[in-house]
Amino acid sequence: MKKIYAAVILGVLLLAVGCGRSLNELDAYEEIAEDTVAESADTYESEKSAGSITSDSGIEAVDQTGRKLIKTVYLSMQTKEFDAVLEGLSAKVRETGGYTESSSVSGNSYYYDSTRNAHFTIRVPSQRLDEFIDIVSGLGNVTQKSESVEDVTLQYVDTEGRKKTLETEQERLIQLLEQAENMEDLLAIESKLSDVRYELENYGSQLRLLDNQIDYSTVNVEITEVERVAEVKDRTFFGEISERFGNSLYMVGRGIRGFLIGFIGSLPVLAVWAVIIGGAAVLIRRVVKGRKKQGKALEQTKTQEDLSGLPKP
């Protein structure tokens, strides 16, 4: 009798183990994920302690520390050779292996005080950024230059660690999917696997975007066409007075030149208006003269009628 009870109890235990096996395996990947996260955190802390991921290392030590930097440069230039500068800029972009992300050119060159302007957003390989800036700065007169650097090392390491954790989860879920013995467990594993793959794609996109911004620096170039280039240099007191006096004479000359150009250029329009105004004046004068003649004739007729009505002597 005791043997029968023992056999029944053993069968129940085996059935319970069989039913709970897949569910236990489904939960196992969470423990692996936690171990992976802990391992990534330990790796990150060791790198941080070694000094490779700190803001005190300096930008000049990027190659040695492996820091992830996004560089952005802004250049504002003046030139009298607008078309030549645009051609030279395009040639330098191709030469350094970069590409133009966006560009715009506006304005006209023949109106008084109207100049052409161009704006370019250029992506240049980070290792050739300094070379590109030096070359482009020589194409025209640089009036403004600014640089900014964003350190995204922490963000990159964190995103990369999360991606590795999800990859481990994905491998474990695939193993559980192959071992699933019923439809309920199969659907649960596939649902979780789909979520993991979606998050993997999201983190992968973030890393690709960061890689592009890190590998290719952004250079914003603004070019303005001018007739007189403003030189940036150290000036003495009398030198500044002389420069401002020369600028005043230049502005007066430009004003007279602009007036003459505007006046002479408007002569055809002025001639048409002169003909219209002259014709209107002649017509008005004739009308006025005609009315005066009619008035005099009426007065003469009235006078004659008054005289004819008087008695004869």
Side-chain angles (χ1 to χ4, degrees):
M1 191 70 175
K2 292 183 179 179
K3 294 182 179 180
I4 296 175
Y5 288 150
V8 171
I9 293 173
L10 181 61
V12 172
L13 289 175
L14 292 175
L15 180 61
V17 171
C19 294
R21 177 188 175 190
S22 57
L23 294 177
N24 291 333
E25 291 179 347
L26 180 60
D27 294 334
Y29 77 93
E30 295 182 356
E31 297 178 0
I32 298 175
E34 292 177 358
D35 294 339
T36 306
V37 172
E39 182 181 352
S40 299
D42 293 339
T43 302
Y44 170 73
E45 289 297 333
S46 62
E47 292 179 355
K48 184 176 181 180
S49 301
S52 61
I53 308 177
T54 62
S55 58
D56 300 329
S57 301
I59 298 176
E60 65 280 358
V62 174
D63 294 337
Q64 289 76 14
T65 62
R67 293 164 62 189
K68 305 296 184 179
L69 303 178
I70 298 177
K71 299 180 181 180
T72 304
V73 179
Y74 172 77
L75 286 177
S76 179
M77 304 171 57
Q78 292 180 342
T79 180
K80 295 188 290 185
E81 304 294 336
F82 187 79
D83 296 323
V85 170
L86 295 189
E87 293 178 2
L89 180 63
S90 299
K92 299 307 177 184
V93 171
R94 294 191 298 268
E95 181 181 336
T96 54
Y99 63 93
T100 300
E101 188 173 76
S102 65
S103 64
S104 64
V105 180
S106 61
N108 299 299
S109 61
Y110 55 88
Y111 286 117
Y112 168 61
D113 278 346
S114 178
T115 57
R116 288 178 291 178
N117 295 277
H119 180 82
F120 294 87
T121 299
I122 300 169
R123 305 296 303 278
V124 181
S126 299
Q127 64 272 17
R128 304 194 67 178
L129 176 62
D130 294 336
E131 175 189 352
F132 178 80
I133 296 300
D134 292 339
I135 294 174
V136 173
S137 298
L139 297 177
N141 181 42
V142 178
T143 59
Q144 183 179 354
K145 177 182 177 182
S146 62
E147 301 180 8
S148 64
V149 179
E150 181 183 2
D151 192 341
V152 295
T153 307
L154 301 180
Q155 179 184 352
Y156 194 95
V157 171
D158 180 66
T159 304
E160 195 172 36
R162 293 176 182 271
K163 184 173 180 289
K164 290 180 179 178
T165 300
L166 289 172
E167 288 174 348
T168 303
E169 292 185 31
Q170 180 179 240
E171 293 176 0
R172 183 54 180 165
L173 286 171
I174 292 175
Q175 293 176 1
L176 292 175
L177 187 65
E178 295 174 352
Q179 299 173 5
E181 297 179 354
N182 56 68
M183 185 61 65
E184 181 179 358
D185 294 341
L186 183 65
L187 294 176
I189 296 173
E190 287 182 346
S191 176
K192 185 61 180 178
L193 184 60
S194 177
D195 294 339
V196 169
R197 285 173 174 170
Y198 176 79
E199 293 184 21
L200 266 176
E201 181 62 28
N202 184 28
Y203 285 122
S205 299
Q206 293 182 31
L207 288 175
R208 287 191 294 271
L209 177 61
L210 288 174
D211 285 334
N212 180 263
Q213 293 176 330
I214 294 167
D215 295 339
Y216 284 83
S217 299
T218 302
V219 182
N220 295 304
V221 183
E222 187 171 353
I223 304 172
T224 303
E225 182 183 29
V226 295
E227 293 187 359
R228 194 179 188 188
V229 176
E231 297 183 0
V232 180
K233 60 182 180 180
D234 295 333
R235 295 167 294 182
T236 62
F237 175 76
F238 293 102
E240 186 173 353
I241 292 177
S242 176
E243 182 177 350
R244 293 198 176 186
F245 184 77
N247 290 337
S248 299
L249 290 179
Y250 174 77
M251 294 303 297
V252 171
R254 288 292 300 159
I256 296 173
R257 179 175 178 269
F259 172 77
L260 292 176
I261 291 175
F263 178 77
I264 296 174
S266 302
L267 283 180
V269 178
L270 295 176
V272 173
W273 278 108
V275 172
I276 294 174
I277 294 173
V282 171
L283 181 61
I284 292 172
R285 187 176 180 182
R286 289 181 180 180
V287 171
V288 171
K289 285 184 177 181
R291 289 184 177 180
K292 287 183 177 180
K293 288 181 179 181
Q294 290 178 359
K296 289 181 178 181
L298 290 174
E299 289 179 0
Q300 291 177 359
T301 303
K302 186 176 181 181
T303 302
Q304 290 177 358
E305 289 177 353
D306 292 342
L307 292 176
S308 64
L310 295 175
K312 294 182 180 181

